[in-house]
Amino acid sequence: MATVSKNTAKRPRSILPGFGLSLGFTVTYLGLVVLIPLTMVFVKTSGLGFAGIWKAVSTDRVLAAFRLTFGLSALAGAINCVCGFLVAWVLVRYRFPGRRFLDAVVDLPFAMPTAVAGIALTALYAPNGWFGQYLTPLGIKVAFAPLGILLALTFIGLPFVVRTIQPVLEDLEPAQEEAAASLGATRGQTFWRVVFPPLIPALITGSTLSFARAIGEYGSVVFIAGNMPGKTEIVPLLIITKLEQYDFAGATALAALMLVISFLLLLITNSLQRWSSRRHSK
Amino acid sequence: MSILVQNLRRTFGTFQALRGINLEIGHHQLVALLGPSGSGKTTFLRMLGGLDFPDPGNGRIIIDDEDVTEQPAADRKTGFVFQHYALFNHLTVYENVAFGLEVRPKATRPSKNAICDRVLELLRLVQLEGLEQRLPSELSGGQRQRVALARALAIDPKVLLLDEPFGALDAKVRKDLRRWLRSFHQEIGVTTVFVTHDQQEALELADMVVVMNQGQIEQVGPPQEIYDHPATPFVYEFLGDVNKVRKPGRPDLFYVRPHEIQIVFAGDCSADFHARIEHLFAAGPSARLTLRLLDSRETIDADMTRQQLDEMGLSEGDEVGLKLSASPPSAPPAASL
């Protein structure tokens, strides 16, 4: 009896059993699968010393690759934010023949090997491809140019936005829109003041996922990028190149820097998302 | 403001939700649309609010001498309160109530101060002062209902439309809010139409009750008239608490309410029927007896005062005689059933 009361005094009894066990499993699993491998990146890098790291990452070629990767990934995330929203809106709000088929198509970038996407896009947009042959005379270069990389990154990120917004959109009560209308709101006001705000957290989450996915993307980009150093070379490719030259330390230095930047960006967007979902919580 | 509805029809696919509704509602009335689910009462209310429209060319809605049949909700100035409130969850109580004023075009929008005064006045009216900064998720069901009401009133509606206003609340809150709405309506005087499937609620609250069934109006009238003189067998049965009885020696069925049956001792030769008491329920202002008629084996309910019950010393299993009041005020033949 005494021990029981001592236990209950320590922490409140929970109706869910197995907290200790499941937390232990979670920590072990995350450690083995995520944290330890990532730590190795830093361990390997630290062998270089600060000067070595600086030397490895401060070249023009590396900086250009970083600018390209993060810039285009952010742009792809923004494009997907808008277009993914529209796709989700159409899939949720309207009933039309072929809707289920379109809904399934959205998942293809998830399921397909990304290299296949890269090859397909290159075939379409290369100067002699279906689209490329008409774009090239107009002076628009897609394949083997930053525009092509952007296309590939947008392609692989789309499902993230659509799939995070869809359930939230489905949960919206039609009565809220009717209420807005009966209070005299125009369609535009109803959308911006009633429908859109509850979607903001999901929209941020989806775009962030799309952005994060794009930063690490390799397979679909290498085919369409052309990989010209300083122009169309992305960081993941640069890392592979260094590995092929047996420059392991240099490769891990780039990887470590990428990790740090990604982590900081995710931290920012996560707190942004948390802030907005608190504002819009039910 | 008055409402005039003529020959309103609405079909969904092959289902006829409304089959020709004609109704006139006077100034400042509190009207109940009463009916079972699927009777078309909510569809009718939504049409009054401009959230649904009659079949093309079938029916007219005139509010205050203006034909609004084709007018969308946004232009109609009707305050609509939804069954599940439909509050904007991401906005505070204040922002919810102010919504209808803030979406007005610049030319007719009140100043920020005027909006503030109006919102606070409305919140005082619905007894929610001090909760302006709460989110709807931080309110109880009854409070949310009143926010929805204040929000609908903010636009100075010509008519107030309430869809099952107390449907989602528990019995106690329901009763309080019902009483409150009654006096509230007297205070603001806006023509109000509410939908309910609870006959008690309709009879207690409304000036005028509209009983609907299968897309048609069965009867319109003040509560007491509806209760005392039901026009059709449907109204009789829907208002509840009624027995169908066959008089001895006559083929047709009659309706008789439990309180219109007089209980006498079994030996009384003036009794119309004889019955055995199957169940006796006395935990209330009057006693309710469930009786099985000895000749036809049907069960009926009858009410008697607690005092009479004690005097007669009845208990379950006893035999009693029943007398129908000489001429029950409400006993139309139910032969059509």
Side-chain angles (χ1 to χ4, degrees), chain B residues 3-310:
Chain B
I3 304 173
L4 180 65
V5 174
Q6 291 174 334
N7 197 30
L8 212 57
R9 287 171 190 280
R10 177 75 165 102
T11 41
F12 296 103
T14 58
F15 176 68
Q16 287 184 289
L18 294 179
R19 315 171 180 222
I21 300 283
N22 291 288
L23 185 65
E24 208 178 330
I25 295 172
H27 287 271
H28 311 313
Q29 272 193 316
L30 180 54
V31 178
L33 300 180
L34 174 66
S37 51
S39 59
K41 54 194 193 305
T42 295
T43 306
F44 181 31
L45 192 80
R46 289 171 58 82
M47 279 191 192
L48 292 179
L51 299 172
D52 200 346
F53 298 92
D55 295 339
N58 276 297
R60 293 205 300 162
I61 300 171
I62 294 156
I63 298 179
D64 240 5
D65 300 327
E66 188 191 352
D67 190 332
V68 298
T69 316
E70 298 298 323
Q71 207 174 45
D75 304 330
R76 209 176 274 198
K77 285 199 79 175
T78 49
F80 204 104
V81 176
F82 293 81
Q83 186 176 5
H84 300 286
Y85 325 128
L87 295 178
F88 308 131
N89 293 316
H90 60 290
L91 300 179
T92 62
V93 168
Y94 180 96
E95 291 165 325
N96 264 283
V97 178
F99 187 91
L101 299 172
E102 276 173 356
V103 295
R104 284 194 191 165
K106 260 211 164 70
T108 57
R109 193 191 310 153
S111 70
K112 251 195 149 53
N113 286 333
I115 291 179
C116 182
D117 290 346
R118 177 88 179 117
V119 171
L120 294 181
E121 181 201 323
L122 283 165
L123 288 177
R124 203 162 35 246
L125 195 65
V126 299
Q127 300 168 1
L128 289 174
E129 304 117 303
L131 301 184
E132 300 86 66
Q133 294 313 314
R134 298 268 190 98
L135 287 173
S137 57
E138 299 164 329
L139 301 178
S140 70
Q143 289 173 326
R144 286 182 209 186
Q145 180 65 268
R146 281 177 282 152
V147 174
L149 201 56
R151 181 177 71 175
L153 287 170
I155 59 168
D156 276 321
K158 291 188 235 167
V159 290
L160 190 58
L161 307 170
L162 314 169
D163 187 6
E164 300 265 355
F166 313 112
L169 302 169
D170 62 66
K172 171 86 172 75
V173 180
R174 231 179 137 96
K175 222 172 171 175
D176 292 346
L177 260 183
R178 208 190 279 175
R179 195 173 306 142
W180 175 81
L181 184 70
R182 175 81 243 185
S183 60
F184 181 77
H185 175 259
Q186 270 159 7
E187 194 177 338
I188 59 167
V190 177
T191 308
T192 303
V193 182
F194 72 97
V195 159
T196 181
H197 59 256
D198 180 342
Q199 87 281 2
Q200 197 65 33
E201 198 164 281
L203 296 176
E204 255 186 67
L205 204 52
D207 304 321
M208 186 165 94
V209 178
V210 178
V211 186
M212 293 183 68
N213 181 36
Q214 296 186 338
Q216 280 170 322
I217 291 180
E218 294 269 336
Q219 189 175 3
V220 180
Q224 195 176 348
E225 189 190 311
I226 299 259
Y227 188 81
D228 287 344
H229 306 288
T232 65
F234 172 81
V235 178
Y236 221 120
E237 297 213 356
F238 191 71
L239 290 185
D241 250 6
V242 70
N243 299 299
K244 267 191 278 186
V245 190
R246 202 181 297 274
K247 274 205 171 172
R250 291 183 55 182
D252 43 349
L253 283 164
F254 274 82
Y255 286 108
V256 59
R257 295 200 190 278
H259 67 86
E260 292 163 352
I261 296 173
Q262 202 190 335
I263 310 271
V264 294
F265 286 111
D268 195 323
C269 56
S270 66
D272 296 318
F273 303 95
H274 286 88
R276 186 183 302 283
I277 301 176
E278 291 231 309
H279 184 71
L280 203 160
F281 172 79
S286 61
R288 166 64 56 100
L289 282 68
T290 305
L291 304 155
R292 187 174 291 278
L293 300 181
L294 293 184
D295 48 358
S296 66
R297 311 302 300 159
E298 286 172 277
T299 48
I300 62 169
D301 289 328
D303 286 341
M304 65 194 297
T305 63
R306 298 277 295 275
Q307 189 190 0
Q308 195 199 350
L309 181 70
D310 292 343

Side-chain angles (χ1 to χ4, degrees), chain A residues 14 22 33 43 54 80 102 131 140 145 161-162 165 180 190 229 242 260:
Chain A
S14 163
S22 53
V33 172
V43 171
W54 183 249
N80 278 333
L102 274 189
F131 294 167
I140 302 170
V161 178
V162 178
I165 294 179
T190 304
K242 287 204 184 272
V260 170

